[in-house]
Amino acid sequence: MFVSAAVHGDELNGVEIIRRLLTLKNFKITKGTFIAVPIVNVYGVVNQSRYMPDRRDLNRSFPGSDKGSLAARLANTLLKEVVAHCDYGIDLHTGAIHRSNLPQIRANLADDVTLELAKSFGAPVVLNSEILEGSLEAAATCDTRVLVYEAGEALRFDELSIRMGIKGIVNVLCYLKMMPSRGARVKKATSFIADNSSWIRASASGIVANYFNLGDQVKMGDVLADIGNHYGKTLGQVIAMKDGVIIGKQNIPLVQECEAMFHIAFFSGPSQQVSKKIEHVEQELVVNTESSEQLL
Ligand SMILES: [Zn+2]
């Protein structure tokens, strides 16, 4: 199994997840092979940029080729030298710049093996991903089952996202019996699988007064934010069109009309349960765990 981070060079939580995971005293692989690639897009990390120096998005450059652009060559090298040797993989991402994601797993849930793997991670929300052309996930789907972990914001460390990432990787390794399961780890985590998701967009351009956070439950008709001008006049409201849970949001308090503001996941069951579960996981990870060591 491989775990990769910083395919997008400004998405740093995954770098920290792998760095901490590898130094945990109890982290021991007893079966199979674990390959950690803490920084895939080295150029992007150095430049604090999502992209490659040739301005290409590495996660749109797979499978690449050994004679193509810099992005194509790096994509191809990772695919041939790492991904092709693995049965499973977890690619660690964050929201784009100025956007935060609630910790979530995205994967091709039409495949039963991938679905079970996604559930074993233990993130509160699992989404069926549209597989983007040129992504690592798209290039790997035939022989390698890949989960994408999305958590936090670009260029920031988010403690909850990091801890959930470490715990999730360990959960998957235990599920695959590459690490021995002990005590608490056996307790199966429940994930809520979203039917689908969509972004709610700004209804006006202006200054944002935001009333909701990541993980909050929203009901149809809720006012998620007001958008006003700089003299205090309200210009528009951002309203939830359906019940769901906020799994992504933009963080800049200024928007242009039609800009994506809130990413909402929709569930068949009551979304209240999902919100409660998220709160519970947050408490467990942040309040009850003083060090990453206790995650094992
Ligand atoms: Zn990314």
Side-chain angles (χ1 to χ4, degrees):
M1 179 173 120
F2 76 88
V3 174
S4 53
V7 164
H8 290 136
D10 59 354
E11 299 184 8
L12 304 177
N13 278 331
V15 179
E16 182 66 1
I17 289 170
I18 296 177
R19 194 176 76 94
R20 282 199 214 171
L21 178 72
L22 296 180
T23 57
L24 294 180
K25 280 203 294 291
N26 296 331
F27 180 68
K28 286 211 176 63
I29 301 295
T30 49
K31 272 186 199 158
T33 305
F34 179 75
I35 304 174
V37 190
I39 300 179
V40 177
N41 179 357
V42 178
Y43 315 94
V45 171
V46 170
N47 293 316
Q48 300 181 6
S49 161
R50 176 183 175 92
Y51 301 104
M52 294 286 289
D54 61 6
R55 299 165 59 95
R56 286 185 166 86
D57 184 328
L58 182 59
N59 211 29
R60 304 290 180 273
S61 303
F62 287 92
S65 71
D66 57 3
K67 293 200 176 61
S69 67
L70 181 57
R73 289 181 197 207
L74 179 56
N76 198 248
T77 302
L78 183 74
L79 202 62
K80 279 205 297 222
E81 294 188 11
V82 178
V83 180
H85 299 284
C86 295
D87 301 303
Y88 308 99
I90 305 177
D91 192 25
L92 306 171
H93 286 256
T94 75
I97 193 148
H98 306 306
R99 286 175 191 278
S100 303
N101 281 334
L102 182 82
Q104 57 197 265
I105 285 290
R106 299 182 187 176
N108 171 24
L109 305 182
D111 174 58
D112 290 341
V113 178
T114 309
L115 173 65
E116 289 310 310
L117 200 69
K119 288 200 267 185
S120 76
F121 190 96
V125 173
V126 174
L127 278 179
N128 187 29
S129 55
E130 291 163 44
I131 297 187
L132 297 166
E133 205 186 320
S135 68
L136 172 59
E137 201 191 353
T141 40
C142 324
D143 302 312
T144 316
R145 264 79 181 209
V146 176
L147 305 181
V148 175
Y149 177 64
E150 280 275 359
E153 184 184 355
L155 294 176
R156 298 282 183 273
F157 278 170
D158 175 63
E159 191 58 29
L160 177 77
S161 302
I162 291 166
R163 289 180 182 204
M164 200 174 282
I166 296 170
K167 195 161 196 271
I169 294 167
V170 170
N171 286 343
V172 172
L173 287 167
C174 290
Y175 168 76
L176 294 172
K177 302 199 165 48
M178 291 173 67
M179 270 180 84
S181 299
R182 278 186 317 179
R185 269 189 241 149
V186 182
K187 194 176 74 184
K188 229 183 157 207
T190 28
S191 294
F192 289 90
I193 298 172
D195 296 335
N196 52 56
S197 69
S198 74
W199 280 91
I200 302 185
R201 293 177 182 277
S203 55
S205 302
I207 297 167
V208 180
N210 205 341
Y211 307 126
F212 282 77
N213 288 312
L214 284 183
D216 284 351
Q217 181 201 4
V218 300
K219 290 213 161 74
M220 190 171 79
D222 279 349
V223 177
L224 306 185
D226 280 318
I227 300 170
N229 71 7
H230 39 304
Y231 296 110
K233 186 180 172 209
T234 300
L235 302 171
Q237 290 189 312
V238 182
I239 294 170
M241 304 308 283
K242 237 169 120 175
D243 293 8
V245 172
I246 300 177
I247 59 164
K249 66 187 275 288
Q250 78 104 20
N251 297 325
I252 300 179
L254 302 172
V255 283
Q256 301 296 332
E257 187 176 337
C258 85
E259 206 176 309
M261 290 184 70
F262 294 95
H263 190 196
I264 315 277
F266 308 112
F267 300 87
S268 335
S271 41
Q272 197 186 0
Q273 274 180 21
V274 187
S275 269
K276 279 223 177 83
K277 161 78 183 173
I278 291 162
E279 247 172 68
H280 175 78
V281 172
E282 283 174 357
Q283 271 172 359
E284 210 174 64
L285 283 174
V286 176
V287 185
N288 302 334
T289 324
E290 276 159 23
S291 75
S292 299
E293 199 66 53
Q294 285 169 274
L295 295 171
L296 288 181

